[in-house]
């Protein structure tokens, strides 16, 4: 198991190199760069623009820029002293600083992470809490009108694009006034008592978490249903029934426990989308999370922020997949990892 | 299926009821939010506001399209940052957009030397920073030191210098500063409204090289009080992507005639929205106190005016310009291919051709069709909004197809049997026009232009591109024929050096010339330098007025229209004076609500 995890982490390095290089090339293919808006302003001195180009390395080719960036993020640093050199290697990841904000990229990302994690986790919890019971019921009452209806709704939910659902949600909130039209907190948030603040955040969370969770409900529910059906037909279920175990006991003790196993590994995949899955929803619903920051950084071509976010979500993705594998191995003793 | 039965509808409604009750509790329980103000003596040199004394209290809410990127003046490049910094800090002078003149700020008064290059500023005594530390000449000297420091590239270093040479700033005593410019520099006093930084707070960062990293949004989020200034407000809190809350600065140096310290408002809340449209939606919904409303949105915003008790004020023409120009660059690219085909270059450099095009544009049609009759035609570089610098005596080009045809004939053009225009060598007159697709007014105007040109037998292909691509084409690759863009107008003509001077980067029809290509461009260069190198308004106006005239005669830019500006403002605010240009609440410290 340990060597397996180690192998996966070593495989991370070429993967990250490839991903970051691709992103760099794609960004350098666009005709504009970070300084374009400044260039279009009449009252900016030309020498200032040249100075900034030098500072940001924009006067160099894309390959040189990439290598510079790579040199900066390389986590091992050595200060050049020969004596006891093995103690002089420092470990520090430096993603550089944002050109727009003049803030370390890591700090900028850290500012946004809590809101995004809160949103993703709420959406996840919502999706699981709704999908599992619905999937079980759909399997138990297979081919009933309930089953048909839930599958129609599931297909509908799967086919509505997230951003469109978000737009509908914003429209709904604006028309009815039942929910805030976006944002994370109310205008007078900081003047509230602590419980009121918590309630305020929860109230703002309802719509975005719903929108983000709906797509998940549909697929989870269908998976739950099919697994549940598989085990419903299993021989040990028939055996249990035959020996007179009560029906409810059969369903939840025997069928459900087995059917939920594969879903546990999906938690690992959910982990990978924790920070990057909410980009569309956040932007449409004006939710101040990572997605908003990254989207704006992309539009402005704030290179280091984009790169930092890309590295972070790639690492999350790979760790998520690894987690899924491990969970699966833990849940199912028949699976061995090499 | 359960939730589709009517029985369960009531359940859902009761859930909604709970949610709504929670919402009421959330917003309603606090009642009116007020600020316990610290009481400090008013400085001996406090500026006395002449507007009618008002009542302190109340909260002013505004939205900002985009959030500040920084609270550090040396880093700020964008409007939201500058706007936020202006609330927190002051300069030696201030600009009064209603009287259209520079008025005293942190400097109580100033003297100008004979040669107009040396200014002695007398600073107000007794002014304190928002942390209670006294403001002195050392802060002014430090600010310029920071601006000019090689380690900290910033716009100010280039704005506040003449031909690359910085101003000399000396402290005479604790409350007197002498600033000398290398040459006479016309916008000097205006530029002195640039915010002064606190030496005692930033000197360590200045010494250790981290000045540009100070006062970032991280600082604002963690320790908002660390960002100190002399402005009407201090920062109370900052939530990334959401809002900044400002509260009245108890050390502010302005007071009213009754001896009450300004500002009257306790809090100013700046909420960050994604774009102008959502800002307008919020205003129409009664959530904010002020908003700029664009002509195409007035009708629906106005519908809620009564319910939310606001008025939309007509501010007349806006300062922005829009124009079409032809690429007159005679050069060729690296492969020797000319940027503009030679026969087209011959049309574009012909003044009569450009004038004919201008006469062929139906500006009233654009105003009616694109701006819903809420616009003003433009004939020169200065919008009538800038009443101080606008020259009404420029050549105008009302829609006149007969005159247009006459000019084209004079220039050797002719029409074939099907009414298509040809030049004297028989080339069909056709060109492409680029503009950026992000601006809906521009894309609509380009379609009207295309139709207008069909009347003259000219075929125009319109291309919509990304703003970045347009900028690259007009500034470095030059591979286009005609373009349509606009500038947001400035207060002072000195801001237009890079547009009108032939060496300028944004001298778009032929940028960055070594030597002026034509006589009239040489004349404009001379006039632009003349207006920059004197402090005498009459002389400056004469020079700038002549530039406006030449621009309208020669039409390198074919000016189109400017949308009128409208400002929505809640009626509860008093002491509001809306200027023709700039911020509606420029005197935010003086306005109050009962």
């Amino acid at each position: 198991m340990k060597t397996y995890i180690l192998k996966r982490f070593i495989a991370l390095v070429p993967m990250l190199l490839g991903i970051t290089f691709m992103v760099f090339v794609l960004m350098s293919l666009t005709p504009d760069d970070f300084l374009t808006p400044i260039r279009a302003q009449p009252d900016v001195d030309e020498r200032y623009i040249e100075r900034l180009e030098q500072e940001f390395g924009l006067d160099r080719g894309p390959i040189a820029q990439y290598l510079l960036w790579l040199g900066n993020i390389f986590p091992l640093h050595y200060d050049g002293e020969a004596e006891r050199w093995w103690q002089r290697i420092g470990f520090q990841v430096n993603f550089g600083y944002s050109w727009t904000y003049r803030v370390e990229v890591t700090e900028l990302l850290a500012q946004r992470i809590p809101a995004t994690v809160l949103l993703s986790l709420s959406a996840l919890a919502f999706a699981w809490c709704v999908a599992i019971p619905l999937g079980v019921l759909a399997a138990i009452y297979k081919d009933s009108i309930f089953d048909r209806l839930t599958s129609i709704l599931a297909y509908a939910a799967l086919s509505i694009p997230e951003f469109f659902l978000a737009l509908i949600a914003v429209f709904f909130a604006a028309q009815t006034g039942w929910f805030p039209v976006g944002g994370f907190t109310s205008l007078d948030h900081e003047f509230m008592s602590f419980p009121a603040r918590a309630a305020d955040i929860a109230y703002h969370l309802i719509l975005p978490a719903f929108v983000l969770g709906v797509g998940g409900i549909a697929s989870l529910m269908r998976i739950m249903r099919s697994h549940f059906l598989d085990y419903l037909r299993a021989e040990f279920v028939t055996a249990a029934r035959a020996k007179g175990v009560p029906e409810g006991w059969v369903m939840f003790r025997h069928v459900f426990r087995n059917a939920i196993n594969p879903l546990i590994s999906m938690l690992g995949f959910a982990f990978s989308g924790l920070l990057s899955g909410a980009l569309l929803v956040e932007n449409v619903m004006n939710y101040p999370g990572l997605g908003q920051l990254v989207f704006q950084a992309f539009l402005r071509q704030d290179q280091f922020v984009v790169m930092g976010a890309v590295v972070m979500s790639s690492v999350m993705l790979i760790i998520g997949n690894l987690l899924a594998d491990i969970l699966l191995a833990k849940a199912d003793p028949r699976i061995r990892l090499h | 299926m359960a939730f589709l039965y009517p029985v369960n509808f009531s359940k859902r409604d009761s859930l909604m009821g709970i949610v709504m009750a929670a919402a009421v509790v959330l917003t309603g329980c606090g009642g009116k939010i007020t600020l316990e103000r610290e009481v400090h003596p008013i400085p001996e040199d406090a500026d006395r506001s002449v507007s009618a004394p008002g009542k302190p209290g109340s909260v002013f809410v505004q939205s900002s399209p985009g959030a500040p990127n920084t609270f550090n003046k040396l880093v700020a490049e964008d409007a939201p940052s500058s706007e936020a910094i202006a609330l927190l800090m002051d300069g030696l002078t201030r600009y009064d957009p209603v009287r259209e003149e520079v008025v005293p700020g942190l400097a109580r008064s100033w003297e100008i030397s004979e040669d107009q290059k040396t200014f002695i500023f007398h600073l107000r005594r007794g002014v304190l920073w928002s942390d209670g530390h006294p403001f002195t000449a050392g802060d002014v000297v430090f600010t310029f030191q920071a601006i000019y420091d090689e380690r900290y590239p910033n716009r100010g270093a280039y704005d506040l210098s003449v031909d690359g040479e910085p101003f000399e700033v000396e402290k005479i005593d604790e409350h007197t500063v002498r600033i000398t410019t290398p040459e006479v520099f016309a916008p000097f006093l205006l530029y002195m409204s640039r915010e002064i930084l606190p030496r005692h707070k930033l000197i360590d960062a200045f010494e250790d090289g981290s000045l540009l990293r100070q006062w970032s949004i991280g600082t604002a989020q963690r320790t908002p009080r660390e960002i100190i200034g002399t402005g009407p407000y201090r920062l109370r809190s900052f939530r990334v992507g959401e809002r900044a809350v400002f509260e009245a600065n108890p050390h502010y140096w302005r007071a009213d005639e009754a001896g009450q310290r300004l500002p009257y408002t306790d809090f100013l809340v700046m909420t960050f929205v994604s774009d102008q449209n959502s800002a307008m939606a919020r205003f129409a919904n009664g959530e904010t106190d002020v908003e700029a409303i664009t002509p195409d949105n007035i009708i629906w915003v106005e519908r809620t005016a009564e319910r939310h008790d606001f008025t939309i004020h007509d501010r007349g023409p806006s300062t922005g310009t829009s124009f079409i120009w032809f690429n007159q660059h005679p050069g060729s690219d690296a492969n020797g291919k000319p940027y503009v085909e030679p026969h087209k270059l011959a049309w574009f450099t012909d003044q009569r051709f450009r004038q004919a095009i201008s006469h062929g544009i139906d500006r009233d049609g654009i105003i009616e069709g694109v701006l819903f009759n809420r616009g003003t035609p433009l004939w020169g570089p200065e919008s009538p909004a800038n009443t101080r610098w606008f020259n009404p005596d420029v050549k105008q080009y009302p829609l006149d197809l007969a005159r247009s045809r006459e000019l084209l004939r004079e220039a050797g053009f002719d029409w074939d049997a099907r009414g298509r225009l040809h030049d004297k060598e028989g080339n069909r007159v056709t060109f492409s026009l680029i503009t950026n697709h992000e601006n809906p007014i521009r894309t609509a105007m380009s379609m009207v232009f295309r139709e207008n040109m069909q009347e003259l037998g000219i075929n125009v292909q319109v291309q919509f591109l990304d703003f970045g691509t347009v900028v690259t084409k007009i500034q470095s690759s030059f591979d286009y024929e005609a373009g349509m863009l606009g500038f947001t107008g400035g207060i002072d003509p000195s801001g237009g050096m890079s547009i009108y001077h032939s060496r300028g980067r944004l001298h778009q029809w032929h940028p960055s010339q070594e030597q002026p290509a034509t006589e009239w461009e040489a004349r404009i260069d001379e006039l632009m330098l003349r207006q920059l190198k004197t402090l005498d308004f009459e002389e400056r106006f004469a020079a700038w007025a002549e530039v406006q005239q030449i621009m309208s005669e020669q039409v390198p830019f074919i000016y189109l229209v400017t949308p009128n500006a409208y400002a929505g403002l809640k009626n509860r605010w008093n002491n509001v004076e809306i200027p023709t240009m700039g911020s509606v609440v420029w005197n935010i410290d003086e306005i109050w609500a009962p």
Side-chain angles (χ1 to χ4, degrees):
Chain A
M1 182 76 117
K2 271 183 197 146
T3 47
Y4 177 76
I5 295 175
L6 197 68
K7 262 195 238 162
R8 289 287 287 259
F9 272 103
I10 291 171
L12 192 74
V13 176
M15 194 124 65
L16 276 181
L17 283 177
I19 294 171
T20 51
F21 184 71
M22 283 286 289
V23 173
F24 229 98
V25 168
L26 285 176
M27 279 212 290
S28 64
L29 283 179
T30 54
D32 50 347
D33 62 30
F34 179 73
L35 295 176
T36 302
I38 301 178
R39 288 200 186 94
Q41 286 175 35
D43 53 349
V44 181
D45 197 289
E46 208 160 337
R47 284 162 291 194
Y48 177 46
I49 295 174
E50 279 164 23
R51 178 74 209 266
L52 287 181
E53 273 175 356
Q54 277 171 18
E55 198 195 339
F56 298 152
L58 290 173
D59 51 347
R60 294 170 225 219
I63 304 288
Q65 286 181 42
Y66 179 68
L67 290 178
L68 268 178
W69 177 80
L70 214 55
N72 277 332
I73 68 151
F74 191 70
L76 300 178
H77 293 274
Y78 173 54
D79 63 6
E81 289 284 321
E83 197 189 333
R84 298 171 76 85
W85 59 269
W86 58 91
Q87 289 182 359
R88 293 182 175 277
I89 295 175
F91 184 85
Q92 195 204 1
V93 178
N94 177 13
F95 282 118
Y97 65 94
S98 156
W99 296 340
T100 324
Y101 300 95
R102 298 268 176 179
V103 174
E104 297 275 340
V105 170
T106 33
E107 184 186 345
L108 213 52
L109 296 178
Q111 283 178 345
R112 302 283 188 142
I113 285 178
T116 297
V117 168
L118 183 66
L119 173 60
S120 300
L121 284 182
S122 321
L124 200 66
F126 165 69
W128 279 65
C129 292
V130 175
I132 303 277
L134 282 186
V136 169
L137 289 177
I140 293 177
Y141 303 108
K142 186 171 169 291
D143 295 332
S144 71
I145 200 160
F146 175 77
D147 183 27
R148 303 252 161 96
L149 210 73
T150 47
S151 55
I152 289 173
L153 286 177
Y155 290 130
L158 275 177
S159 31
I160 297 178
E162 212 169 57
F163 78 91
F164 186 66
L165 196 62
L167 280 177
I168 294 176
V170 170
F171 181 73
F172 170 77
Q175 286 298 309
T176 59
W178 293 345
F179 291 101
V181 186
F184 183 62
T185 55
S186 302
L187 217 55
D188 50 352
H189 181 79
E190 62 183 81
F191 301 100
M192 296 174 180
S193 62
F194 179 74
R197 277 193 220 180
D200 184 40
I201 290 178
Y203 180 45
H204 280 78
L205 205 56
I206 297 174
L207 274 191
F210 172 79
V211 171
L212 195 60
V214 160
I217 292 181
S219 53
L220 269 176
M221 192 191 88
R222 298 304 293 172
I223 295 171
M224 187 67 211
R225 178 181 173 277
S226 64
H227 282 303
F228 204 89
L229 280 179
D230 282 350
Y231 283 103
L232 217 47
R233 294 189 213 103
E235 284 173 358
F236 66 84
V237 173
T238 320
R241 279 186 178 144
K243 75 179 183 196
V245 178
E247 186 66 12
W249 190 257
V250 172
M251 289 299 166
F252 289 95
R253 186 69 212 213
H254 297 281
V255 182
F256 183 74
R257 288 274 308 258
N258 277 303
I260 195 90
N261 254 352
L263 283 181
I264 287 173
S265 71
M266 286 190 72
L267 272 178
F269 294 117
F271 177 81
S272 58
L274 213 54
L275 294 183
S276 49
L279 192 135
L280 288 175
V281 175
E282 282 181 6
N283 279 298
V284 178
M285 306 190 83
N286 204 17
Y287 190 88
L290 267 180
Q292 223 185 29
L293 174 80
V294 173
F295 183 65
Q296 280 162 8
F298 251 112
L299 290 186
R300 287 189 190 129
Q301 305 231 22
D302 195 344
Q303 256 178 23
F304 295 162
V305 180
V306 172
M307 297 306 283
V310 165
V311 170
M312 192 184 62
S313 22
S314 321
V315 171
M316 291 286 283
L317 181 75
I318 290 158
I319 293 181
N321 285 349
L322 181 63
L323 216 60
D325 289 350
I326 295 172
L327 282 176
L328 197 64
K330 289 270 176 227
D332 192 338
R334 285 168 299 185
I335 296 174
R336 286 276 165 277
L337 298 177
H338 299 288
Chain B
M1 101 179 163
F3 45 84
L4 281 183
Y5 280 114
V7 184
N8 286 330
F9 252 113
S10 62
K11 262 192 194 161
R12 204 163 64 115
D13 280 351
S14 67
L15 175 76
M16 282 305 163
I18 293 165
V19 170
M20 283 168 77
V24 170
V25 170
L26 286 180
T27 51
C29 67
K32 206 175 173 197
I33 298 160
T34 51
L35 176 68
E36 277 296 312
R37 295 211 192 193
E38 295 167 33
V39 181
H40 297 286
I42 288 169
E44 53 178 303
D45 264 348
D47 186 47
R48 299 284 168 170
S49 153
V50 291
S51 53
K55 188 171 133 310
S58 72
V59 182
F60 188 87
V61 184
Q62 67 182 75
S63 34
S64 158
N69 296 330
T70 177
F71 288 87
N72 186 336
K73 183 66 187 172
L74 296 174
V75 178
E77 290 284 359
D78 56 314
S81 306
S82 306
E83 219 174 286
I85 293 169
L87 293 171
L88 299 172
M89 286 163 230
D90 290 302
L92 295 176
T93 64
R94 300 191 304 147
Y95 182 74
D96 180 332
V98 171
R99 283 184 285 162
E100 299 187 313
E101 61 184 21
V102 174
V103 296
L106 287 174
R108 156 171 57 92
S109 61
W110 51 83
E111 294 153 33
I112 305 173
S113 69
E114 275 294 301
D115 65 357
Q116 304 191 331
K117 291 187 201 169
T118 305
F119 296 74
I120 295 177
F121 289 96
H122 302 285
L123 309 184
R124 290 182 198 277
R125 282 158 201 271
V127 174
L128 301 180
W129 292 97
S130 55
D131 63 349
H133 200 276
F135 159 77
T136 66
D139 295 312
V140 180
V141 174
F142 169 73
T143 302
F144 282 92
Q145 218 178 341
I147 289 172
Y148 293 135
D149 196 295
E150 259 304 297
R151 290 171 296 173
Y152 309 123
N154 70 91
R155 260 172 101 147
Y158 301 90
D159 292 344
L160 299 174
S161 58
V162 181
D163 296 331
E165 223 183 300
F167 303 164
E168 251 172 68
V169 184
E170 296 154 274
K171 168 174 155 180
I172 295 179
D173 62 44
E174 283 301 301
H175 293 100
T176 320
V177 182
R178 178 170 51 217
I179 304 181
T180 313
T181 58
E183 300 256 356
V184 178
F185 187 57
F188 178 77
L189 282 174
L190 187 65
Y191 282 16
M192 282 303 110
S193 62
R194 193 190 159 92
E195 289 83 352
I196 299 295
L197 303 170
R199 182 177 194 276
H200 69 282
K201 202 78 192 172
L202 293 172
I203 184 74
D204 290 343
F206 172 79
E207 299 284 337
D208 71 18
S210 67
L211 191 56
L212 293 186
R213 309 278 176 95
Q214 302 302 309
W215 292 6
S216 66
I217 54 168
T219 321
Q221 193 189 25
R222 289 188 306 266
T223 49
R225 283 280 170 83
E226 289 294 301
I227 299 172
I228 63 166
T230 53
Y233 296 94
R234 59 184 183 187
L235 190 62
R236 181 190 165 92
S237 71
F238 178 84
R239 299 181 67 94
V240 280
E242 288 197 275
R243 76 186 71 87
V245 179
F246 300 86
E247 63 183 20
N249 173 8
H251 293 291
Y252 188 46
W253 50 273
R254 294 194 76 208
D256 65 12
E257 280 167 336
Q260 159 79 40
R261 189 177 228 123
L262 300 180
Y264 294 120
T265 45
D266 277 346
F267 298 101
L268 185 146
V269 182
M270 194 187 255
T271 58
F272 313 141
V273 294
S274 47
D275 54 22
Q276 186 62 30
N277 287 329
S278 40
M280 285 187 282
R282 276 184 187 232
F283 178 76
N285 216 8
E287 290 171 47
T288 54
D289 286 292
V290 68
E291 193 53 64
I293 313 291
T294 53
D296 44 335
N297 287 296
I298 287 182
I299 293 174
W300 70 269
V301 173
E302 222 162 29
R303 273 187 215 140
T304 55
E306 217 160 292
R307 191 186 326 151
H308 297 300
D309 195 28
F310 63 76
T311 310
I312 297 182
H313 303 268
D314 186 346
R315 305 176 73 187
S318 65
T319 56
T321 57
S322 55
F323 50 83
I324 284 170
W325 79 98
F326 293 105
N327 185 357
Q328 300 187 37
H329 202 304
S332 347
D333 62 17
N335 304 326
K337 184 172 167 278
Y339 296 128
V340 185
E341 289 173 70
H343 68 275
K344 290 191 177 178
L345 190 66
W347 313 336
F348 298 162
T349 49
D350 191 329
Q351 179 194 6
R352 291 164 298 188
F353 177 78
R354 299 193 299 264
Q355 288 185 336
I357 300 287
S358 192
H359 265 305
I361 298 173
D362 183 6
R363 291 178 179 77
D364 292 331
I366 293 179
I367 291 170
E368 198 186 327
V370 181
L371 300 174
F372 303 93
N373 272 330
R374 298 175 197 274
T376 309
L378 275 183
W379 313 110
E382 196 71 82
S383 154
N386 196 340
T387 47
R388 189 173 161 89
W389 291 101
F390 174 64
N391 175 11
D393 291 328
V394 293
K395 194 165 165 56
Q396 305 198 342
Y397 299 88
L399 179 64
D400 186 348
L401 291 179
R403 175 77 190 128
S404 200
R405 293 207 173 91
E406 199 180 311
L407 281 163
L408 286 170
R409 263 201 197 97
E410 262 175 51
F413 291 89
D414 212 346
W415 287 267
D416 66 11
R418 291 168 59 192
R420 295 182 302 193
L421 189 66
H422 292 263
D423 69 4
K424 47 188 167 227
E425 276 129 43
N427 298 304
R428 170 97 207 266
V429 178
T430 162
F431 57 85
S432 64
L433 175 86
I434 58 169
T435 190
N436 66 314
H437 66 82
E438 292 93 343
N439 187 319
I441 290 183
R442 257 175 234 159
T443 52
M445 285 198 300
S446 63
M447 295 328 282
V448 178
F449 175 71
R450 189 187 132 86
E451 273 181 34
N452 289 165
M453 289 302 104
Q454 271 165 358
E455 298 280 319
L456 288 174
I458 298 173
N459 180 27
V460 182
Q461 296 111 34
V462 181
Q463 280 177 19
F464 299 140
L465 304 170
D466 283 333
F467 184 65
T469 315
V470 173
V471 172
T472 311
K473 274 185 184 290
I474 65 183
Q475 284 190 15
S476 52
S477 66
F478 309 121
D479 52 337
Y480 69 100
E481 291 174 341
M484 178 193 286
L485 276 182
F487 288 123
T488 49
I491 298 169
D492 192 275
S494 59
M497 284 306 285
S498 68
I499 305 172
Y500 306 108
H501 196 283
S502 60
R503 267 207 306 268
R505 217 162 24 86
L506 293 168
H507 191 76
Q508 285 164 1
W509 64 92
H510 184 181
S512 312
Q513 303 174 25
E514 299 276 324
Q515 290 294 326
T518 60
E519 265 170 46
W520 56 270
E521 284 174 284
R523 175 70 183 154
I524 290 183
D525 288 1
E526 193 189 321
L527 290 166
M528 285 308 285
L529 286 175
R530 185 183 298 168
Q531 67 77 28
L532 193 65
K533 305 228 153 135
T534 173
L535 296 184
D536 181 52
F537 175 71
E538 300 298 324
E539 206 182 328
R540 295 192 68 201
F541 183 79
W544 178 235
E546 196 183 330
V547 172
Q548 295 179 50
Q549 240 160 25
I550 297 174
M551 287 294 288
S552 70
E553 273 306 318
Q554 297 292 339
V555 281
F557 283 166
I558 301 170
Y559 289 96
L560 300 168
V561 299
T562 185
N564 290 353
Y566 297 85
L569 183 73
K570 286 213 173 148
N571 296 330
R572 64 191 180 116
W573 295 101
N574 300 294
N575 281 352
V576 174
E577 278 184 282
I578 299 182
T580 54
M581 54 194 286
S583 165
V584 177
V585 285
W586 60 280
N587 58 342
I588 183 74
D589 50 350
E590 289 170 348
I591 68 165
W592 61 280

